[in-house]
Amino acid sequence: MSFRTTTDVAYVEDVSPGSGALAPRAWYASSDARSLSLNGSWRFRLSATADAEDDSFAAEGYDAGGWAEIAVPGHWVLQGDGAFGSPAYTNHLYPFPVDPPRVPTENPTGDHLRVFDLPADWPGPADGGAVLRFDGVDSCARVWLNGTDIGEFKGSRIPHEFAVGHLLRPTGNVLAVRVHQWSAGSYLEDQDQWWLPGIFRDVTLLHRPAGGVLDFFVHASYDHLTGAGTLRVDSDVDGRVVVPALDIDVETGCPVTVPVRPWTAETPALYDGELVTEGERVPLRIGFRTVELADGLIKVNGRPVLFKGVNRHEWHPERGRALDLETMRADVLLMKRHNVNAVRTSHYPPHPAFLDLCDEYGLWVVDECDLETHGFVEQDWRDNPVDDDRWTPALLDRAARMVERDKNHPSVVIWSLGNEAGTGRGLTAMAEWIHGRDTSRLVHYEGDIDCRDTDVYSRMYASHDEVERIGQGLDGGTHRRRALPFILCEYAHAMGNGPGGLADYQKIFEAHERLQGAFVWEWIDHGIEHPRLGLAYGGDFGEELHDGNFVCDGLVLPDRTPSPGLAEFKKVIEPVALTAGDDATLRVTNKQDFAGLCALAFTWAFQVDGETVGSGDLAVPALAAGESADVKLPQPPVLAPAGAETAWTVRAVLAEDTAWADRGHVVAWGQVPVTARALPAVTPTAAPVAGERVVTLGPATFDARTGELRGIGGVDVTGLRLEVWRAPTDNDDGAPWQSDVRYGVLWRELGLHRMRHRLDAVEVGDGALTVRSRVAPAAREVGLSTVYRWVSDGDRVQLTVSVTPEGDWTLPLPRLGIRFGLSAADRVSWFGGGPGEAYPDSRTASALGRWRSTVDALQTPYVRPQENGARADVRWAELGGLRVEGAPEFWFSARRWTTEQLDAAGHLTDLVPGETVWVNLDHGQHGLGSQSCGPGPLPRYFLDVAPAQFSFVFSAVDQSIDSLIDIPTR
């Protein structure tokens, strides 16, 4: 057998999907036919160009002993400690010249070698053939087995199979795979993610017995009027379908109708069955459900559904898109535990095992094709492949390989043509093919603004006002579009601290039937583990072009720690609403689409000043989906003292263990206030005593010249002053394409990050110490006249801050409050909102109670440091021997670095804890919004500049008891 001494790489730039691969078919995890995983350690050689090496490495007997070893599945740029190149991140810019279908000569190419033996009991040639399957290779691969070129393919996230039975031998099989990072296919894969080449999904050898299963299509519909399911399994090879629990045993192709429990995301009923042919038995997991477009709505089993979804990229901070089953399961379990009911597989079909998990645990799935050509927006979509007939076969191949692979999953209810690929004839061809192949699901594509080819009107990042207008039918558009349901396929950009405004969106969704929900962008931050930076993002690997930390925009941190945004989302979309009714009652509303409340138990707790003084079970009727009832609350278990704040907390918890959470897991909760607290106040009885250097007022001491607080009751305090700056969040800084009004940028231009504090007067009166100052940015005429007035009753000291704007303020403030430093503080307790952080438009999940933490655990470790960690509605807080009470309630945060240090940090490793804990007591905070890609905060969450007055009462406390309490960290 001869090999080329020069390499023919014309296929790399060929717009066709490839050659040699078998037709796409249904994927299944196992059967009684033999299979051999070829995952593991492979020999690896990296070349700088596609044609640097000839094909001799694929020959039998080639000595690759000097090559490196890498793990498959895996990406070579994430292995070898940088020896094999680096990851690169762009949002939509192609990291190579746009000249379709050409790619650069500098084209990293990885040669992979695996030598394997067949198991001793592997069937021989007389017992059938064999198929070699690749589940995912980025972006173009050529394959040889035992010296024979068996084909090449593109389409990174879809499977490709090759018939190889005639090439196998018992021992010493040589599998050679050449993988090119760039190819014509790269133009179709410009998703917002890291560019990561390699064999990143499973490689499997499958025995195909004579008479074995080829392709099959499970049709399992449900009639909600009769309660009957109809099953028909079409198979390329005749056989029988057996479902013991339903007493079904029929020939393939024959329909059978029986009473069944339907499959929904809330009640994922699956029936185990088998497809039996002459040569193979394939397990089936059958879910009966009917998806239709009826009455202008997406209906499943006759009922409209409300998607409470997330967009999910596949990601692991060390392995990239090479996910194992347990990581996928971790995603699904986290989603279920946080009330998520839907997933859009942005922007490609996921590993097929993920869909098995969605079937099992219950998630609606929008399955999206591996297609995005977003970079062509830079040239007004000129030469866009989806409107070029030469590329249509590749587009159809991608659509077919998604649909055929995933068609037997009940969780998949919508096919999506792709994402941000403009419009064109290729997309129309895809939609026509899918509609013709599968009439049991709907077709989605956000870019089809007139809904010519799609069954759903879909948008990204529409504002609250626009969504409201769409819900009311006031949005216009074509006649066809106006008759279709609406979803936000992306909204609530979860980048950094945020998103804000989730609760406001949800109220709109629930108010209008046409609005059928939304999908948060996105599920997980794509940070990469880095030895020096901790977690790296765009630009940290020396990329020529990059989009910074825009790749870190998820509801969970890279290690899958839930962010405060996920806690907020869980609360906003909870399936049971528990709100105050009339006359000491609780209003209970079942917000599910299908399930009743029988899986839930309800408990009550009565709180006095945040402490639970009684608890018990609460009887709630077995409400059907959509029903409400008023439930009588019990009599309070104690008589609260005068001035105490009291409230009920009611929780809906799992009554029994489930597949995704244990008994007692909190699904929903609500709080019903009873009596309000009495605001703290100090009656001035102690007069300030002026010394040469110090002024004493009750337990407090002040610098006699500046009036600056030095200590309270032996607790040293430093640097107390008005604070208006916060380290801008990603949403504060905003996206330039979203709006010209990006407050983080404008705040910095105004100089709010470098405010100057001018001392105007220190006045020692009979009953108070008054310090007058002006706080203003250099080079500007605007300012804040600030008066600090201190009074004491001998044991406590009260500060009243009065702020009067001067000049023409045209911007809201980031925050308004005071900050100061404590020399020794670690443990914190407070009465207010918790346990996690909250901001004006992300506070739904903040529950009133008494909470404890460490200073370090108060922080949210966003991949790019920014404002974080505020607790809302704080009545009082204690730390470092100091107690602070607010009048009114305040926002509280504490950290071991200054706001300026937080602002300057690019990575968490830049934040070095200091000796001082810096405390912020805020009268107000500006909202968050999600303007890092979506809309900013609603105007009602602006911290507008206006006269303000707020007070804090300080006293010293003994924290020796708290020092013995083990307080868990995040």
Side-chain angles (χ1 to χ4, degrees), residues 246-330:
L246 297 176
D247 199 25
I248 291 176
D249 185 346
V250 297
E251 293 181 354
T252 54
C254 294
V256 58
T257 300
V258 293
V260 297
R261 291 177 292 116
W263 189 98
T264 74
E266 295 168 6
T267 56
L270 291 173
Y271 291 91
D272 291 327
E274 273 192 324
L275 170 59
V276 183
T277 66
E278 180 182 357
E280 189 175 11
R281 305 176 74 94
V282 174
L284 304 177
R285 302 208 77 190
I286 302 165
F288 291 87
R289 55 105 186 98
T290 295
V291 183
E292 60 182 338
L293 181 62
D295 305 318
L297 300 172
I298 303 167
K299 291 187 177 181
V300 180
N301 302 337
R303 295 187 181 186
V305 295
L306 184 62
F307 296 121
K308 303 169 183 179
V310 295
N311 285 272
R312 175 187 175 267
H313 267 298
E314 296 182 305
W315 189 250
H316 188 280
E318 296 173 343
R319 301 191 300 271
R321 287 187 288 280
L323 299 189
D324 60 5
L325 180 62
E326 288 313 305
T327 299
M328 291 183 263
R329 191 185 305 276

Side-chain angles (χ1 to χ4, degrees), residues 88-144:
Y89 167 63
T90 61
N91 168 28
H92 74 275
L93 296 174
Y94 288 106
F96 48 78
V98 180
D99 183 22
R102 306 297 302 276
V103 294
T105 300
E106 299 88 356
N107 187 356
T109 295
D111 291 333
H112 300 68
L113 272 178
R114 176 81 151 85
V115 179
F116 65 93
D117 298 334
L118 296 178
D121 58 350
W122 187 269
D127 296 317
V131 165
L132 177 65
R133 182 173 69 206
F134 295 88
D135 280 314
V137 183
D138 191 333
S139 73
C140 172
R142 190 167 200 131
V143 186
W144 296 261

Side-chain angles (χ1 to χ4, degrees), residues 46-299:
L46 182 63
S47 302
T49 65
D51 59 357
E53 301 286 350
D54 61 28
D55 304 343
S56 60
F57 80 103
E60 300 172 70
Y62 183 87
D63 183 8
W67 289 19
E69 293 188 43
I70 65 169
V72 171
H75 303 280
W76 69 68
V77 293
L78 296 182
Q79 303 183 61
D81 294 327
F84 306 136
S86 300
Y89 167 63
T90 61
N91 168 28
H92 74 275
L93 296 174
Y94 288 106
F96 48 78
V98 180
D99 183 22
R102 306 297 302 276
V103 294
T105 300
E106 299 88 356
N107 187 356
T109 295
D111 291 333
H112 300 68
L113 272 178
R114 176 81 151 85
V115 179
F116 65 93
D117 298 334
L118 296 178
D121 58 350
W122 187 269
D127 296 317
V131 165
L132 177 65
R133 182 173 69 206
F134 295 88
D135 280 314
V137 183
D138 191 333
S139 73
C140 172
R142 190 167 200 131
V143 186
W144 296 261
L145 182 62
N146 290 331
T148 298
D149 183 348
I150 61 173
E152 43 83 17
F153 62 91
K154 307 176 192 75
S156 297
R157 298 155 196 101
I158 45 181
H160 295 84
E161 294 183 330
F162 299 87
V164 297
H166 60 295
L167 300 175
L168 290 172
R169 59 193 56 170
T171 60
N173 293 281
V174 179
L175 177 57
V177 185
R178 172 162 285 168
V179 180
H180 308 281
Q181 176 157 19
W182 310 123
S183 69
S186 301
Y187 284 100
L188 304 180
E189 297 173 2
D190 188 27
Q191 293 97 336
D192 175 8
Q193 61 182 342
W194 293 95
W195 296 92
L196 298 174
I199 306 172
F200 69 96
R201 286 185 184 160
D202 305 292
V203 183
T204 312
L205 184 68
L206 303 167
H207 177 242
R208 304 312 304 135
V213 172
L214 294 177
D215 190 25
F216 63 96
F217 197 159
V218 177
H219 303 275
S221 61
Y222 177 73
D223 186 332
H224 66 280
L225 297 177
T226 65
T230 298
L231 175 67
R232 187 185 82 244
V233 179
D234 295 334
S235 174
D236 288 358
V237 175
D238 291 341
R240 300 194 68 80
V241 177
V242 181
V243 186
L246 297 176
D247 199 25
I248 291 176
D249 185 346
V250 297
E251 293 181 354
T252 54
C254 294
V256 58
T257 300
V258 293
V260 297
R261 291 177 292 116
W263 189 98
T264 74
E266 295 168 6
T267 56
L270 291 173
Y271 291 91
D272 291 327
E274 273 192 324
L275 170 59
V276 183
T277 66
E278 180 182 357
E280 189 175 11
R281 305 176 74 94
V282 174
L284 304 177
R285 302 208 77 190
I286 302 165
F288 291 87
R289 55 105 186 98
T290 295
V291 183
E292 60 182 338
L293 181 62
D295 305 318
L297 300 172
I298 303 167
K299 291 187 177 181

Side-chain angles (χ1 to χ4, degrees), residues 369-403:
C369 193
D370 190 9
L371 172 63
E372 181 167 334
T373 63
H374 199 174
F376 284 91
V377 72
E378 295 294 318
Q379 53 201 57
D380 296 323
W381 299 104
R382 187 176 60 255
D383 299 325
N384 184 11
V386 304
D387 200 29
D388 183 335
D389 290 338
R390 296 176 302 161
W391 295 79
T392 300
L395 302 180
L396 289 172
D397 181 73
R398 288 169 184 251
R401 291 186 182 277
M402 171 184 71
V403 171

Side-chain angles (χ1 to χ4, degrees), residues 192 311 313 346-347 461 490-494 519-522 553:
D192 175 8
N311 285 272
H313 267 298
S346 52
H347 298 295
Y461 305 110
E490 294 180 20
Y491 87 125
H493 199 250
F519 297 78
V520 171
W521 186 267
E522 64 165 301
D553 46 13

Side-chain angles (χ1 to χ4, degrees), residues 638-650:
V638 299
L639 181 63
E645 183 172 8
T646 60
W648 297 98
T649 297
V650 179

Side-chain angles (χ1 to χ4, degrees), residues 182 308 329 440 502 524 542 931:
W182 310 123
K308 303 169 183 179
R329 191 185 305 276
S440 68
L502 284 170
I524 189 169
Q931 200 179 353

